[in-house]
């Protein structure tokens, strides 16, 4: 029996497959398309996704094929400089076409031993107490312990499981094309600059070689968005919006997309889970869709692997929805707001001018920018401290930070303004450990199938307040911070001060793992 079947071998499915294989899970990825798509729907990766790739030791591959661009101007295309002192070592957006992202993730999945079957669409599934029977289009039936739908906004898996997908239908359509033009780059840039003073949903520019990418509002909402527009329709809209069709000809791909916002009522149905566009769709403003899917996979991977391995508490898999559903809901909200701000209606333009003025305040600019690049994510854990539920980033080697270890590799003592969070994760995602008290205990725990890095660590220095700071150490996972009695394990917990005033390190193993990315 296969451990996990993944329906959909796009970026989300491939990321999830790699996450599962890192932990030895037997994975099969299915995709109804015969070949990977080479249509450029997404153009870049935001900060949080870049951090995830860095944790997995994959960032250098992506940097070699992408281009770094400065942050700023993301929210509703309002041009503002990047906020200062963002809490990241990767203060840039990585320009990289979706086909390249998908290829690099596919290469990584293949290195780890993931089997991908293309031209194999899922048409049916049944689940029982032991597993799932998946039926393919050619009549083949497969058995697996779990199945994850990463099969896009028109998800077959979601439909077969009768999971509701409420939300708002499209109000406007946008046309997208990859084609050739006779206009010069200077002409395209000049016209684009003029048009975008009022129409933010317009754009045309070089893509690769002699090909150009065109984005232009459609005349109306199509009944069937799966039917691509014609060249004549796209050229007509270019004339109507920009006053020229730029000599558009020889299209290699044409498509249309809407601004529907929908979210699955639940991300889990028994042994079936949803991730990426199968769980949520929204307007593409801000370039958040692909990034949101990658981060879904990063959150789900270790939890599903732990469940397959048998060491996870019963509620662990449910925490995937608890943590990621609110994140997607927030993205739906901010994309709705951005679409309103990008409208050409007089009222919307007035609100846009007001928001632009407010973004001149550093805190407003930071708040809205962090929404787009996913640095504002905070999982809903008990505790009022500002760090509770937030990721603890891996510091830049030369950065000065209160979350840096000293020369001996020891982190500061536990206190509210300087959380003691343990050592950073390695580039492969495995916790870096040095020999210390409790190392034998860690080896015994690892031999029994528990996570690595569960040894004992002592913090140094006095603690001025009876506070406990918890840092997760589940293998391959990003660290998150929490305060208060450790309710989620396995974790490192720096306990409340003893009678002598110094906090002691303690190992907590409890009912539900602490939140991960």
């Amino acid at each position: 029996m296969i451990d996990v079947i993944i329906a959909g071998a796009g970026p989300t499915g491939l990321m999830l497959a790699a996450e599962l294989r890192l932990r030895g899970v037997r994975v099969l990825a299915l995709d109804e398309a015969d070949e990977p798509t080479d249509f450029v729907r997404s153009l870049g990766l935001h900060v949080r996704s870049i951090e995830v790739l860095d944790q997995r030791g994959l960032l250098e591959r992506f940097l070699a094929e992408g281009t770094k661009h400065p942050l700023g101007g993301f929210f509703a295309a309002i041009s503002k400089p990047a906020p200062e002192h963002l809490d990241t070592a990767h203060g840039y957006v990585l320009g990289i076409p979706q086909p390249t992202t998908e290829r690099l993730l596919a290469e990584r999945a293949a290195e780890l031993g993931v089997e991908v079957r293309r031209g194999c669409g899922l048409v049916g599934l049944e689940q029982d107490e032991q597993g799932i029977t998946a039926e393919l289009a050619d009549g083949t039936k497969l058995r697996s312990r779990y199945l994850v739908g990463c099969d896009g906004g028109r998800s077959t898996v979601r439909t077969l499981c009768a999971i509701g997908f409420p939300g708002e239908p499209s109000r406007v359509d946008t046309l997208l094309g990859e084609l050739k033009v006779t206009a010069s780059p200077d002409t395209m840039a000049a016209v684009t600059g003029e048009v975008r003073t009022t129409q933010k949903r317009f754009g045309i520019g070089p893509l690769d070689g002699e090909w150009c990418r065109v984005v232009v509002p459609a005349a109306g909402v199509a009944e069937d968005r799966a039917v691509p527009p014609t060249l004549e329709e796209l050229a007509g809209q270019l004339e109507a919006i920009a006053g020229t069709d730029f000599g558009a000809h020889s299209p290699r791909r044409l498509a249309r997309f809407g601004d529907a916002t929908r979210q699955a009522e639940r991300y889990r149905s028994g042994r079936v889970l949803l991730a990426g566009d199968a769980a949520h769709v929204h307007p593409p403003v801000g370039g958040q869709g692909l990034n949101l899917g990658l981060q879904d996979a990063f959150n789900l991977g270790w939890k599903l692997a732990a469940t397959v391995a048998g060491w996870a508490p019963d509620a662990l898999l449910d925490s995937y929805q608890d943590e990621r559903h609110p994140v997607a809901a927030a993205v739906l909200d901010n994309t709705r707001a951005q679409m309103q701000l990008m409208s050409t209606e007089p009222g919307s333009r007035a609100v846009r001018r007001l928001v632009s003025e407010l973004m001149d305040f550093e805190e407003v600019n930071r708040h809205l920018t962090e929404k787009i690049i996913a640095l504002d994510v905070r999982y809903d854990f008990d505790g009022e401290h500002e760090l509770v539920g937030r990721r603890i980033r891996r510091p830049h080697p030369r950065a000065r930070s209160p979350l840096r270890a000293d020369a001996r590799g020891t982190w500061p003592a536990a206190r509210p303004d300087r959380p003691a969070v343990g050592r950073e994760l390695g580039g492969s995602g495995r916790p870096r450990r040095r020999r210390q008290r409790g190392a034998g205990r860690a080896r015994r725990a690892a031999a029994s199938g528990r996570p690595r890095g569960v040894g004992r660590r002592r913090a140094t220095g006095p603690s001025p307040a009876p506070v406990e700071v918890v840092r997760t150490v589940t293998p391959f996972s990003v660290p998150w911070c929490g305060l208060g009695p450790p309710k989620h394990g396995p974790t490192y917990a720096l306990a409340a001060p003893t009678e002598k005033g110094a906090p002691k390190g303690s190992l907590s193993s409890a009912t539900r793992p602490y939140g991960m990315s």
Side-chain angles (χ1 to χ4, degrees), residues 207-418:
L207 185 61
D208 59 77
E210 57 186 347
W211 297 100
C212 290
R213 174 184 169 92
V214 177
V215 181
V216 63
V221 177
E223 292 185 7
D224 185 358
R225 209 161 284 108
V227 178
T230 63
L231 176 61
E232 291 72 20
E233 181 182 358
L234 186 141
Q237 284 304 107
L238 287 174
E239 285 279 4
I241 301 296
T244 174
D245 65 2
F246 300 94
H249 66 96
S250 306
R252 64 178 180 181
R253 291 174 199 88
L254 297 172
R256 68 176 80 237
F257 57 87
D259 66 339
T261 51
R262 298 186 182 277
Q263 186 173 18
E265 291 178 335
R266 60 189 190 279
Y267 285 9
R268 181 184 182 187
S269 177
R271 292 178 173 269
V272 178
L273 298 107
L274 302 176
D277 288 352
H280 39 70
V281 295
H282 55 83
V285 289
Q288 300 170 83
L290 183 148
N291 291 271
L292 187 60
L294 294 182
Q295 294 157 36
D296 283 348
F298 194 62
N299 182 283
L300 175 59
W302 73 272
K303 297 175 180 179
L304 184 53
T307 303
V308 169
W311 64 262
D314 292 339
L316 175 58
L317 212 48
D318 291 330
S319 71
Y320 165 62
Q321 169 165 327
D322 295 341
E323 293 170 3
R324 295 304 298 174
H325 195 281
V327 173
V331 171
L332 265 62
D333 280 347
N334 85 55
T335 53
R336 286 188 185 105
Q338 290 183 77
M339 287 299 291
Q340 290 293 331
L341 293 173
M342 295 170 73
S343 170
T344 57
E345 294 296 322
S348 296
R349 293 175 65 180
V351 176
R352 180 184 179 86
R353 288 192 293 270
L354 177 60
V355 172
S356 179
E357 292 177 11
L358 292 173
M359 289 182 69
D360 289 333
F361 292 97
E362 176 72 10
E363 287 304 310
V364 176
N365 188 20
R366 177 185 303 277
H367 179 74
L368 296 179
T369 299
E370 288 183 346
K371 281 185 174 296
I372 303 296
I373 62 179
L375 291 187
D376 71 325
V377 173
R378 180 176 183 177
Y379 294 147
D380 187 14
F381 302 140
D382 295 337
E384 297 181 357
H385 192 279
E386 62 179 0
L387 288 177
V388 175
R390 294 192 182 276
R391 92 215 192 289
I392 300 300
R393 74 175 177 90
R394 179 180 176 181
H396 188 279
R398 293 186 297 276
R400 294 185 62 84
S401 169
L403 301 181
R404 291 291 307 279
D406 63 19
R408 295 172 297 169
T410 303
W411 286 79
R415 51 189 252 197
D417 62 337
R418 190 193 290 182

Side-chain angles (χ1 to χ4, degrees), residues 43-45 50 61-70 92-97 100:
L43 288 169
L45 297 173
I50 293 170
R61 306 185 190 191
F62 284 79
L63 291 177
E65 303 211 30
T67 303
K68 292 182 180 181
H69 298 287
Y92 55 89
V93 60
L94 183 63
I96 185 168
T100 304

Side-chain angles (χ1 to χ4, degrees), residues 155 264 293 406 421:
S155 172
D406 63 19
V421 294

Side-chain angles (χ1 to χ4, degrees), residues 104-296:
L104 293 173
L105 291 174
E107 290 173 358
R108 176 57 172 165
E111 292 169 4
L112 294 171
V114 174
E115 180 184 358
V116 179
R117 296 185 193 174
R118 297 196 175 272
C120 297
L122 183 75
V123 297
L125 65 87
E126 295 180 357
Q127 58 176 310
D128 52 47
E129 293 183 359
Q130 285 71 45
I132 290 176
T133 300
E135 182 179 355
L136 308 186
D138 62 2
T140 302
K141 292 188 176 182
L142 303 171
R143 285 286 288 176
S144 67
R145 298 175 66 183
Y146 290 89
L147 186 145
V148 185
C150 302
D151 50 345
R154 299 181 178 89
S155 172
T156 299
V157 173
R158 188 185 65 237
T159 301
L160 290 172
C161 291
I163 296 176
F165 202 44
E168 301 171 2
S170 289
R171 298 173 296 106
V172 296
D173 276 5
T174 304
L175 308 182
L176 176 64
E178 295 178 8
L179 39 72
K180 299 178 182 179
V181 299
T182 58
S184 68
D186 289 343
T187 298
M188 288 189 289
V191 173
T192 298
E194 181 178 352
V195 173
R196 283 182 61 83
T197 58
T198 56
Q199 180 50 267
K200 301 300 181 181
R201 291 166 49 219
F202 173 84
I204 181 170
L207 185 61
D208 59 77
E210 57 186 347
W211 297 100
C212 290
R213 174 184 169 92
V214 177
V215 181
V216 63
V221 177
E223 292 185 7
D224 185 358
R225 209 161 284 108
V227 178
T230 63
L231 176 61
E232 291 72 20
E233 181 182 358
L234 186 141
Q237 284 304 107
L238 287 174
E239 285 279 4
I241 301 296
T244 174
D245 65 2
F246 300 94
H249 66 96
S250 306
R252 64 178 180 181
R253 291 174 199 88
L254 297 172
R256 68 176 80 237
F257 57 87
D259 66 339
T261 51
R262 298 186 182 277
Q263 186 173 18
E265 291 178 335
R266 60 189 190 279
Y267 285 9
R268 181 184 182 187
S269 177
R271 292 178 173 269
V272 178
L273 298 107
L274 302 176
D277 288 352
H280 39 70
V281 295
H282 55 83
V285 289
Q288 300 170 83
L290 183 148
N291 291 271
L292 187 60
L294 294 182
Q295 294 157 36
D296 283 348

